[in-house]
Amino acid sequence: MSEQVDKKIQEGIKDAFPMADTTDWNEVYQRIIYRYSTPHGLQHVKEELYKLEDEGEIIVHHIKPYNDPVKMQSLNGTPKVIPTNKLWHHKSCGQCGHIPGYPTSVFWMMNKMEVDYLDEPHQTSCTGWNYHASGASNPVALAGVYVRNMWRAYETGYYPLIHCGTSFGHYKEVRNMIVLHKEVRDKLRPIMRKLDMDIVVPEEVVHYSEWLFTMSKKAAQQKKYDLSGIKAAVHTPCHVYKLVPEDTIYDPEVFQGRRPAAPSGTVQNFGAKLVDYSTWWDCCGFGFRHILTEREFSRSFALFKKVIPAVEEAHADVFVTSDTGCVTTLDKSQWAGKAHGFNYNLPVLADAQFAAIAMGADPYTIAQVHWHATDVESFMRKIGVPVDDYKEKFIQYLSDLREGKAEPQYLYTPHRKIDFYIAVPERVKWYKGQQIQK
């Protein structure tokens, strides 16, 4: 390699990683791969998965051609197949409860790109909060909840897409546990049989942010606003890429493949400038247990270890992340700093909201930025969104609803495509093609 070429490469690395001089990459990789990884490689888990399918031990939910699969790359180079169509939404408790514009932004983008999906009303919580926050569950119970939801997706014919980062990481761990531990399967099977179900395991566990990154170049073709003047700092959720880290997608075009592709790649593909900061690896402060027991620690950590570095080091205009707890903590903690004189007010958005707004989604009825505590409106004004017009229209819509002058707006017909098998006791008979007695 010539000296000139080597110098150019080094300059490229320095430009992409302004904090690289103070970062020990070998130490970072060791933390990711060894400290947080499953003791069995992902390839081994998948080999065992298909072996169990051949032996009739489990049912594997395969990604089909009608799911329009796209092959991406995981941490260790193993391909990961991302289904992009006919998707079953495993929604997040916290998103629906605290950030409703998060899932509606995903649905809205799918409508714009004509993606077939099912917003499942019969999904349950993954119970990951119960496990990670209190440790009050057990392996068979966790596996039962996982399999029950995956069976539900399997019988509808739609492939599961996981919204919550904790559900995603948790389900990867539970998938490995079911595949590698016969004693868990043996205890789980009789429970599922009582429900007229069996053990179903999807061949890929897929997070919505992986889908969004995979589709982001296509989505960006419908971009309405110019983001080239925006500096975006990104927080990649811990439970997305530190739980079974080898089962998360990477891309050489995103931070030279050194960090997960999503959500950084989505921000990049929409034309914003990715900016780096020294504490990119750190937790957002949520951490599950300490958000319950040491909430002021969470708020302080979010401010001093994430928000302040993103503003003072990276000069970010917006903070983008891709999980429930991360959006909530980074957005809802900044008022505590303001009360003590640390008024940074960095707008915080999920990648789905960021992308949907850029594509022209209504910031109030779809992205629902009025649920946020930070000044998202300043970010929107910076990219040219007519905030006042949208706000006036939204206030009028709410007034008309109260007075009975308007009907609620829907992103899809309620209970689309499931009305004819909504009765729980009959659904397995319907799936097996048996005649249902009226």
Side-chain angles (χ1 to χ4, degrees), residues 297-366:
F297 170 79
S298 284
R299 289 168 175 159
S300 298
F301 195 96
L303 180 68
F304 289 105
K305 296 291 282 185
K306 301 300 291 190
V307 173
I308 291 178
V311 173
E312 294 192 346
E313 296 174 7
H315 309 292
D317 299 305
V318 63
F319 218 151
V320 180
T321 185
S322 53
D323 184 31
T324 313
C326 306
V327 174
T328 303
T329 305
L330 294 170
D331 179 70
K332 299 292 195 294
S333 295
Q334 293 188 46
W335 66 268
K338 183 179 179 181
H340 292 275
F342 298 97
N343 189 17
Y344 284 83
N345 204 4
L346 177 63
V348 178
L349 288 169
D351 55 349
Q353 294 172 299
F354 178 85
I357 289 170
M359 291 170 69
D362 189 307
Y364 297 101
T365 59
I366 300 300

Side-chain angles (χ1 to χ4, degrees), residues 213 234-236 254-255 259-269 274 320:
F213 168 69
V234 166
H235 169 71
T236 307
V254 181
F255 281 122
R259 301 184 197 171
S264 298
T266 299
V267 170
Q268 184 172 282
N269 288 339
L274 279 176
V320 180

Side-chain angles (χ1 to χ4, degrees), residues 197-429:
M197 300 178 183
D198 210 330
I199 300 177
V200 171
V201 179
E203 62 180 337
E204 298 280 12
V205 183
V206 183
H207 191 237
Y208 88 88
S209 69
E210 296 180 306
W211 171 86
L212 181 53
F213 168 69
T214 303
M215 300 290 284
S216 59
K217 289 184 178 179
K218 179 180 178 180
Q221 292 173 5
Q222 300 187 46
K223 187 173 61 173
K224 187 175 179 180
Y225 303 107
D226 180 16
L227 301 177
S228 61
I230 294 298
K231 296 178 181 178
V234 166
H235 169 71
T236 307
C238 298
H239 284 189
V240 169
Y241 79 111
K242 294 177 185 175
L243 299 180
V244 193
E246 66 268 42
D247 196 2
T248 305
I249 63 173
Y250 285 69
D251 189 292
E253 294 182 3
V254 181
F255 281 122
Q256 300 182 347
R258 293 177 182 240
R259 301 184 197 171
S264 298
T266 299
V267 170
Q268 184 172 282
N269 288 339
F270 267 84
K273 177 177 173 55
L274 279 176
V275 289
D276 201 6
Y277 60 104
S278 59
T279 55
W280 66 270
W281 165 270
D282 290 340
C283 171
C284 67
F286 189 78
F288 275 82
R289 188 161 297 171
H290 51 260
I291 193 68
L292 296 176
T293 61
E294 300 290 342
R295 190 164 296 170
E296 294 312 313
F297 170 79
S298 284
R299 289 168 175 159
S300 298
F301 195 96
L303 180 68
F304 289 105
K305 296 291 282 185
K306 301 300 291 190
V307 173
I308 291 178
V311 173
E312 294 192 346
E313 296 174 7
H315 309 292
D317 299 305
V318 63
F319 218 151
V320 180
T321 185
S322 53
D323 184 31
T324 313
C326 306
V327 174
T328 303
T329 305
L330 294 170
D331 179 70
K332 299 292 195 294
S333 295
Q334 293 188 46
W335 66 268
K338 183 179 179 181
H340 292 275
F342 298 97
N343 189 17
Y344 284 83
N345 204 4
L346 177 63
V348 178
L349 288 169
D351 55 349
Q353 294 172 299
F354 178 85
I357 289 170
M359 291 170 69
D362 189 307
Y364 297 101
T365 59
I366 300 300
Q368 303 187 50
V369 298
H370 51 287
W371 283 73
H372 288 242
T374 51
D375 184 17
V376 179
E377 289 182 357
S378 66
F379 159 74
M380 295 194 297
R381 292 182 195 278
K382 190 170 288 189
I383 65 173
V385 177
V387 173
D388 295 332
D389 293 344
Y390 274 118
K391 189 182 293 186
E392 183 180 347
K393 179 183 171 185
F394 179 59
I395 291 171
Q396 185 61 52
Y397 169 61
L398 295 179
S399 177
D400 290 345
L401 281 176
R402 280 193 297 268
E403 295 174 15
K405 296 178 181 178
E407 293 294 322
Q409 298 175 11
Y410 292 98
L411 284 163
Y412 53 84
T413 303
H415 304 313
R416 183 181 65 174
K417 300 179 181 174
I418 64 169
D419 295 336
F420 66 100
Y421 58 94
I422 202 167
V424 175
E426 296 179 342
R427 73 167 172 256
V428 177
K429 292 180 182 178

Side-chain angles (χ1 to χ4, degrees), residues 33-71:
I33 296 171
Y34 298 111
R35 199 173 298 178
Y36 293 95
S37 183
T38 173
H40 299 278
L42 182 62
Q43 190 62 38
H44 171 71
V45 171
K46 289 192 173 181
E47 288 170 1
E48 291 298 309
L49 175 73
Y50 297 125
K51 198 180 297 182
L52 291 171
E53 180 186 31
D54 291 341
E55 295 169 356
E57 274 272 305
I58 61 172
I59 298 169
V60 175
H61 189 165
H62 290 276
I63 297 171
K64 303 291 180 59
Y66 58 68
N67 295 121
D68 297 339
V70 177
K71 192 174 289 187

Side-chain angles (χ1 to χ4, degrees), residues 104-151:
T104 53
S105 293
V106 176
F107 297 146
W108 183 86
M109 284 189 288
M110 288 193 171
N111 288 349
K112 289 283 284 185
M113 292 186 281
E114 299 183 335
V115 172
D116 187 15
Y117 65 88
L118 183 60
D119 179 12
E120 173 63 84
H122 297 299
Q123 171 220 328
T124 70
S125 164
C126 72
T127 68
W129 179 283
N130 190 30
Y131 170 63
H132 286 282
S134 64
S137 192
N138 63 77
V140 178
L142 295 170
V145 172
Y146 167 69
V147 168
R148 185 262 168 207
N149 279 326
M150 296 306 101
W151 172 273

